[in-house]
PDB file of all heavy atoms in Angstrom:
ATOM      1  N   GLY C 350      35.197  16.988 -11.946  1.00  0.00           N
ATOM      2  CA  GLY C 350      36.412  16.500 -11.291  1.00  0.00           C
ATOM      3  C   GLY C 350      37.265  15.654 -12.219  1.00  0.00           C
ATOM      4  O   GLY C 350      38.502  15.785 -12.254  1.00  0.00           O
ATOM      5  N   ILE C 351      36.607  14.767 -12.988  1.00  0.00           N
ATOM      6  CA  ILE C 351      37.348  13.932 -13.934  1.00  0.00           C
ATOM      7  C   ILE C 351      38.001  14.797 -15.007  1.00  0.00           C
ATOM      8  O   ILE C 351      39.153  14.555 -15.415  1.00  0.00           O
ATOM      9  CB  ILE C 351      36.403  12.895 -14.561  1.00  0.00           C
ATOM     10  CG1 ILE C 351      35.952  11.878 -13.506  1.00  0.00           C
ATOM     11  CG2 ILE C 351      37.079  12.179 -15.725  1.00  0.00           C
ATOM     12  CD1 ILE C 351      34.945  10.876 -14.009  1.00  0.00           C
ATOM     13  N   ARG C 352      37.287  15.820 -15.459  1.00  0.00           N
ATOM     14  CA  ARG C 352      37.850  16.704 -16.485  1.00  0.00           C
ATOM     15  C   ARG C 352      39.089  17.425 -15.954  1.00  0.00           C
ATOM     16  O   ARG C 352      40.095  17.557 -16.657  1.00  0.00           O
ATOM     17  CB  ARG C 352      36.798  17.715 -16.922  1.00  0.00           C
ATOM     18  CG  ARG C 352      37.287  18.690 -17.987  1.00  0.00           C
ATOM     19  CD  ARG C 352      36.172  19.623 -18.409  1.00  0.00           C
ATOM     20  NE  ARG C 352      35.088  18.891 -19.058  1.00  0.00           N
ATOM     21  CZ  ARG C 352      33.964  19.472 -19.487  1.00  0.00           C
ATOM     22  NH1 ARG C 352      33.790  20.782 -19.309  1.00  0.00           N
ATOM     23  NH2 ARG C 352      33.030  18.756 -20.072  1.00  0.00           N
ATOM     24  N   GLY C 353      39.025  17.888 -14.697  1.00  0.00           N
ATOM     25  CA  GLY C 353      40.190  18.548 -14.111  1.00  0.00           C
ATOM     26  C   GLY C 353      41.374  17.605 -13.990  1.00  0.00           C
ATOM     27  O   GLY C 353      42.521  17.976 -14.293  1.00  0.00           O
ATOM     28  N   GLY C 354      41.107  16.358 -13.553  1.00  0.00           N
ATOM     29  CA  GLY C 354      42.189  15.387 -13.460  1.00  0.00           C
ATOM     30  C   GLY C 354      42.763  15.041 -14.818  1.00  0.00           C
ATOM     31  O   GLY C 354      43.992  14.883 -14.979  1.00  0.00           O
ATOM     32  N   SER C 355      41.880  14.907 -15.814  1.00  0.00           N
ATOM     33  CA  SER C 355      42.350  14.599 -17.170  1.00  0.00           C
ATOM     34  C   SER C 355      43.229  15.716 -17.716  1.00  0.00           C
ATOM     35  O   SER C 355      44.229  15.456 -18.425  1.00  0.00           O
ATOM     36  CB  SER C 355      41.151  14.371 -18.093  1.00  0.00           C
ATOM     37  OG  SER C 355      40.358  13.304 -17.638  1.00  0.00           O
ATOM     38  N   TYR C 356      42.871  16.961 -17.380  1.00  0.00           N
ATOM     39  CA  TYR C 356      43.679  18.089 -17.836  1.00  0.00           C
ATOM     40  C   TYR C 356      45.090  18.008 -17.248  1.00  0.00           C
ATOM     41  O   TYR C 356      46.095  18.226 -17.949  1.00  0.00           O
ATOM     42  CB  TYR C 356      43.012  19.405 -17.429  1.00  0.00           C
ATOM     43  CG  TYR C 356      43.875  20.620 -17.658  1.00  0.00           C
ATOM     44  CD1 TYR C 356      44.030  21.149 -18.936  1.00  0.00           C
ATOM     45  CD2 TYR C 356      44.545  21.228 -16.590  1.00  0.00           C
ATOM     46  CE1 TYR C 356      44.834  22.270 -19.152  1.00  0.00           C
ATOM     47  CE2 TYR C 356      45.339  22.335 -16.791  1.00  0.00           C
ATOM     48  CZ  TYR C 356      45.482  22.852 -18.075  1.00  0.00           C
ATOM     49  OH  TYR C 356      46.295  23.943 -18.284  1.00  0.00           O
ATOM     50  N   LEU C 357      45.181  17.661 -15.942  1.00  0.00           N
ATOM     51  CA  LEU C 357      46.492  17.550 -15.323  1.00  0.00           C
ATOM     52  C   LEU C 357      47.293  16.404 -15.925  1.00  0.00           C
ATOM     53  O   LEU C 357      48.520  16.516 -16.119  1.00  0.00           O
ATOM     54  CB  LEU C 357      46.347  17.357 -13.815  1.00  0.00           C
ATOM     55  CG  LEU C 357      45.845  18.562 -13.011  1.00  0.00           C
ATOM     56  CD1 LEU C 357      45.694  18.201 -11.541  1.00  0.00           C
ATOM     57  CD2 LEU C 357      46.785  19.749 -13.169  1.00  0.00           C
ATOM     58  N   ILE C 358      46.638  15.286 -16.212  1.00  0.00           N
ATOM     59  CA  ILE C 358      47.337  14.156 -16.830  1.00  0.00           C
ATOM     60  C   ILE C 358      47.882  14.554 -18.190  1.00  0.00           C
ATOM     61  O   ILE C 358      49.049  14.254 -18.545  1.00  0.00           O
ATOM     62  CB  ILE C 358      46.396  12.946 -16.945  1.00  0.00           C
ATOM     63  CG1 ILE C 358      46.057  12.384 -15.554  1.00  0.00           C
ATOM     64  CG2 ILE C 358      47.012  11.846 -17.820  1.00  0.00           C
ATOM     65  CD1 ILE C 358      45.025  11.294 -15.565  1.00  0.00           C
ATOM     66  N   ASP C 359      47.032  15.216 -18.973  1.00  0.00           N
ATOM     67  CA  ASP C 359      47.469  15.655 -20.303  1.00  0.00           C
ATOM     68  C   ASP C 359      48.642  16.638 -20.194  1.00  0.00           C
ATOM     69  O   ASP C 359      49.624  16.553 -20.957  1.00  0.00           O
ATOM     70  CB  ASP C 359      46.297  16.307 -21.031  1.00  0.00           C
ATOM     71  CG  ASP C 359      46.647  16.706 -22.459  1.00  0.00           C
ATOM     72  OD1 ASP C 359      46.974  15.799 -23.259  1.00  0.00           O
ATOM     73  OD2 ASP C 359      46.589  17.909 -22.763  1.00  0.00           O
ATOM     74  N   LEU C 360      48.571  17.563 -19.223  1.00  0.00           N
ATOM     75  CA  LEU C 360      49.646  18.526 -19.038  1.00  0.00           C
ATOM     76  C   LEU C 360      50.934  17.830 -18.619  1.00  0.00           C
ATOM     77  O   LEU C 360      52.030  18.142 -19.123  1.00  0.00           O
ATOM     78  CB  LEU C 360      49.227  19.550 -17.974  1.00  0.00           C
ATOM     79  CG  LEU C 360      50.243  20.652 -17.628  1.00  0.00           C
ATOM     80  CD1 LEU C 360      50.512  21.517 -18.866  1.00  0.00           C
ATOM     81  CD2 LEU C 360      49.733  21.507 -16.472  1.00  0.00           C
ATOM     82  N   GLY C 361      50.793  16.871 -17.689  1.00  0.00           N
ATOM     83  CA  GLY C 361      51.983  16.154 -17.236  1.00  0.00           C
ATOM     84  C   GLY C 361      52.626  15.336 -18.329  1.00  0.00           C
ATOM     85  O   GLY C 361      53.864  15.247 -18.409  1.00  0.00           O
ATOM     86  N   LEU C 362      51.816  14.716 -19.189  1.00  0.00           N
ATOM     87  CA  LEU C 362      52.371  13.931 -20.288  1.00  0.00           C
ATOM     88  C   LEU C 362      53.095  14.836 -21.282  1.00  0.00           C
ATOM     89  O   LEU C 362      54.166  14.479 -21.805  1.00  0.00           O
ATOM     90  CB  LEU C 362      51.253  13.155 -20.991  1.00  0.00           C
ATOM     91  CG  LEU C 362      50.628  12.004 -20.187  1.00  0.00           C
ATOM     92  CD1 LEU C 362      49.446  11.410 -20.941  1.00  0.00           C
ATOM     93  CD2 LEU C 362      51.672  10.923 -19.910  1.00  0.00           C
ATOM     94  N   ASN C 363      52.487  15.993 -21.568  1.00  0.00           N
ATOM     95  CA  ASN C 363      53.122  16.915 -22.514  1.00  0.00           C
ATOM     96  C   ASN C 363      54.438  17.451 -21.977  1.00  0.00           C
ATOM     97  O   ASN C 363      55.400  17.652 -22.742  1.00  0.00           O
ATOM     98  CB  ASN C 363      52.184  18.076 -22.843  1.00  0.00           C
ATOM     99  CG  ASN C 363      50.989  17.640 -23.682  1.00  0.00           C
ATOM    100  OD1 ASN C 363      51.056  16.649 -24.408  1.00  0.00           O
ATOM    101  ND2 ASN C 363      49.892  18.373 -23.577  1.00  0.00           N
ATOM    102  N   GLU C 364      54.488  17.728 -20.676  1.00  0.00           N
ATOM    103  CA  GLU C 364      55.704  18.268 -20.078  1.00  0.00           C
ATOM    104  C   GLU C 364      56.603  17.173 -19.510  1.00  0.00           C
ATOM    105  O   GLU C 364      57.661  17.473 -18.926  1.00  0.00           O
ATOM    106  CB  GLU C 364      55.339  19.263 -18.971  1.00  0.00           C
ATOM    107  CG  GLU C 364      54.571  20.475 -19.473  1.00  0.00           C
ATOM    108  CD  GLU C 364      54.302  21.484 -18.383  1.00  0.00           C
ATOM    109  OE1 GLU C 364      54.752  21.266 -17.232  1.00  0.00           O
ATOM    110  OE2 GLU C 364      53.652  22.511 -18.667  1.00  0.00           O
ATOM    111  N   LYS C 365      56.143  15.906 -19.654  1.00  0.00           N
ATOM    112  CA  LYS C 365      56.912  14.759 -19.155  1.00  0.00           C
ATOM    113  C   LYS C 365      57.230  14.923 -17.664  1.00  0.00           C
ATOM    114  O   LYS C 365      58.337  14.659 -17.205  1.00  0.00           O
ATOM    115  CB  LYS C 365      58.194  14.585 -19.955  1.00  0.00           C
ATOM    116  CG  LYS C 365      57.936  14.285 -21.423  1.00  0.00           C
ATOM    117  CD  LYS C 365      59.217  14.069 -22.194  1.00  0.00           C
ATOM    118  CE  LYS C 365      58.910  13.764 -23.674  1.00  0.00           C
ATOM    119  NZ  LYS C 365      60.136  13.551 -24.475  1.00  0.00           N
ATOM    120  N   ASP C 366      56.198  15.376 -16.932  1.00  0.00           N
ATOM    121  CA  ASP C 366      56.320  15.584 -15.487  1.00  0.00           C
ATOM    122  C   ASP C 366      55.462  14.546 -14.778  1.00  0.00           C
ATOM    123  O   ASP C 366      54.226  14.640 -14.736  1.00  0.00           O
ATOM    124  CB  ASP C 366      55.868  16.994 -15.122  1.00  0.00           C
ATOM    125  CG  ASP C 366      56.162  17.343 -13.667  1.00  0.00           C
ATOM    126  OD1 ASP C 366      56.243  16.420 -12.833  1.00  0.00           O
ATOM    127  OD2 ASP C 366      56.289  18.549 -13.361  1.00  0.00           O
ATOM    128  N   GLU C 367      56.097  13.513 -14.236  1.00  0.00           N
ATOM    129  CA  GLU C 367      55.376  12.398 -13.619  1.00  0.00           C
ATOM    130  C   GLU C 367      54.579  12.847 -12.387  1.00  0.00           C
ATOM    131  O   GLU C 367      53.493  12.317 -12.113  1.00  0.00           O
ATOM    132  CB  GLU C 367      56.362  11.303 -13.213  1.00  0.00           C
ATOM    133  CG  GLU C 367      55.681  10.065 -12.646  1.00  0.00           C
ATOM    134  CD  GLU C 367      56.672   8.973 -12.309  1.00  0.00           C
ATOM    135  OE1 GLU C 367      57.825   9.029 -12.773  1.00  0.00           O
ATOM    136  OE2 GLU C 367      56.268   8.050 -11.569  1.00  0.00           O
ATOM    137  N   ALA C 368      55.080  13.854 -11.682  1.00  0.00           N
ATOM    138  CA  ALA C 368      54.380  14.323 -10.488  1.00  0.00           C
ATOM    139  C   ALA C 368      53.019  14.910 -10.847  1.00  0.00           C
ATOM    140  O   ALA C 368      52.019  14.665 -10.148  1.00  0.00           O
ATOM    141  CB  ALA C 368      55.234  15.363  -9.763  1.00  0.00           C
ATOM    142  N   ILE C 369      52.964  15.678 -11.957  1.00  0.00           N
ATOM    143  CA  ILE C 369      51.671  16.244 -12.380  1.00  0.00           C
ATOM    144  C   ILE C 369      50.727  15.140 -12.829  1.00  0.00           C
ATOM    145  O   ILE C 369      49.523  15.167 -12.539  1.00  0.00           O
ATOM    146  CB  ILE C 369      51.898  17.266 -13.517  1.00  0.00           C
ATOM    147  CG1 ILE C 369      52.721  18.446 -13.022  1.00  0.00           C
ATOM    148  CG2 ILE C 369      50.553  17.754 -14.060  1.00  0.00           C
ATOM    149  CD1 ILE C 369      53.036  19.478 -14.096  1.00  0.00           C
ATOM    150  N   VAL C 370      51.267  14.125 -13.538  1.00  0.00           N
ATOM    151  CA  VAL C 370      50.437  13.009 -13.991  1.00  0.00           C
ATOM    152  C   VAL C 370      49.836  12.277 -12.800  1.00  0.00           C
ATOM    153  O   VAL C 370      48.649  11.929 -12.794  1.00  0.00           O
ATOM    154  CB  VAL C 370      51.269  12.047 -14.859  1.00  0.00           C
ATOM    155  CG1 VAL C 370      50.461  10.788 -15.182  1.00  0.00           C
ATOM    156  CG2 VAL C 370      51.701  12.731 -16.150  1.00  0.00           C
ATOM    157  N   ARG C 371      50.675  12.017 -11.784  1.00  0.00           N
ATOM    158  CA  ARG C 371      50.172  11.295 -10.605  1.00  0.00           C
ATOM    159  C   ARG C 371      49.095  12.107  -9.874  1.00  0.00           C
ATOM    160  O   ARG C 371      48.125  11.554  -9.391  1.00  0.00           O
ATOM    161  CB  ARG C 371      51.329  10.980  -9.648  1.00  0.00           C
ATOM    162  CG  ARG C 371      52.251   9.883 -10.163  1.00  0.00           C
ATOM    163  CD  ARG C 371      53.279   9.479  -9.118  1.00  0.00           C
ATOM    164  NE  ARG C 371      54.099   8.399  -9.600  1.00  0.00           N
ATOM    165  CZ  ARG C 371      53.747   7.111  -9.575  1.00  0.00           C
ATOM    166  NH1 ARG C 371      52.559   6.775  -9.087  1.00  0.00           N
ATOM    167  NH2 ARG C 371      54.556   6.187 -10.033  1.00  0.00           N
ATOM    168  N   ARG C 372      49.299  13.423  -9.804  1.00  0.00           N
ATOM    169  CA  ARG C 372      48.296  14.260  -9.152  1.00  0.00           C
ATOM    170  C   ARG C 372      46.967  14.220  -9.917  1.00  0.00           C
ATOM    171  O   ARG C 372      45.894  14.127  -9.335  1.00  0.00           O
ATOM    172  CB  ARG C 372      48.802  15.699  -9.049  1.00  0.00           C
ATOM    173  CG  ARG C 372      47.928  16.576  -8.176  1.00  0.00           C
ATOM    174  CD  ARG C 372      48.587  17.876  -7.840  1.00  0.00           C
ATOM    175  NE  ARG C 372      49.288  18.459  -8.975  1.00  0.00           N
ATOM    176  CZ  ARG C 372      49.495  19.753  -9.135  1.00  0.00           C
ATOM    177  NH1 ARG C 372      49.042  20.596  -8.250  1.00  0.00           N
ATOM    178  NH2 ARG C 372      50.159  20.214 -10.181  1.00  0.00           N
ATOM    179  N   GLY C 373      47.065  14.302 -11.262  1.00  0.00           N
ATOM    180  CA  GLY C 373      45.854  14.207 -12.071  1.00  0.00           C
ATOM    181  C   GLY C 373      45.187  12.852 -11.952  1.00  0.00           C
ATOM    182  O   GLY C 373      43.950  12.759 -11.878  1.00  0.00           O
ATOM    183  N   TRP C 374      45.992  11.794 -11.911  1.00  0.00           N
ATOM    184  CA  TRP C 374      45.417  10.450 -11.799  1.00  0.00           C
ATOM    185  C   TRP C 374      44.720  10.257 -10.446  1.00  0.00           C
ATOM    186  O   TRP C 374      43.685   9.598 -10.365  1.00  0.00           O
ATOM    187  CB  TRP C 374      46.491   9.393 -11.991  1.00  0.00           C
ATOM    188  CG  TRP C 374      45.955   8.008 -11.772  1.00  0.00           C
ATOM    189  CD1 TRP C 374      46.263   7.149 -10.779  1.00  0.00           C
ATOM    190  CD2 TRP C 374      44.957   7.353 -12.563  1.00  0.00           C
ATOM    191  NE1 TRP C 374      45.548   5.993 -10.887  1.00  0.00           N
ATOM    192  CE2 TRP C 374      44.729   6.096 -11.987  1.00  0.00           C
ATOM    193  CE3 TRP C 374      44.254   7.721 -13.715  1.00  0.00           C
ATOM    194  CZ2 TRP C 374      43.816   5.194 -12.510  1.00  0.00           C
ATOM    195  CZ3 TRP C 374      43.350   6.813 -14.220  1.00  0.00           C
ATOM    196  CH2 TRP C 374      43.128   5.565 -13.630  1.00  0.00           C
ATOM    197  N   THR C 375      45.276  10.846  -9.379  1.00  0.00           N
ATOM    198  CA  THR C 375      44.642  10.755  -8.062  1.00  0.00           C
ATOM    199  C   THR C 375      43.251  11.371  -8.091  1.00  0.00           C
ATOM    200  O   THR C 375      42.296  10.820  -7.526  1.00  0.00           O
ATOM    201  CB  THR C 375      45.512  11.471  -7.015  1.00  0.00           C
ATOM    202  OG1 THR C 375      46.801  10.848  -6.955  1.00  0.00           O
ATOM    203  CG2 THR C 375      44.859  11.414  -5.641  1.00  0.00           C
ATOM    204  N   ILE C 376      43.132  12.520  -8.795  1.00  0.00           N
ATOM    205  CA  ILE C 376      41.817  13.169  -8.919  1.00  0.00           C
ATOM    206  C   ILE C 376      40.856  12.296  -9.712  1.00  0.00           C
ATOM    207  O   ILE C 376      39.688  12.114  -9.333  1.00  0.00           O
ATOM    208  CB  ILE C 376      41.969  14.556  -9.573  1.00  0.00           C
ATOM    209  CG1 ILE C 376      42.799  15.476  -8.686  1.00  0.00           C
ATOM    210  CG2 ILE C 376      40.594  15.168  -9.855  1.00  0.00           C
ATOM    211  CD1 ILE C 376      43.117  16.816  -9.318  1.00  0.00           C
TER     212      ILE C 376
END
Side-chain angles (χ1 to χ4, degrees):
I351 292 176
R352 180 178 295 178
S355 300
Y356 171 77
L357 290 177
I358 292 174
D359 184 62
L360 180 63
L362 290 174
N363 290 334
E364 297 184 2
K365 298 182 180 180
D366 188 334
E367 184 177 344
I369 296 178
V370 173
R371 287 187 177 278
R372 190 167 41 153
W374 175 247
T375 300
I376 296 174

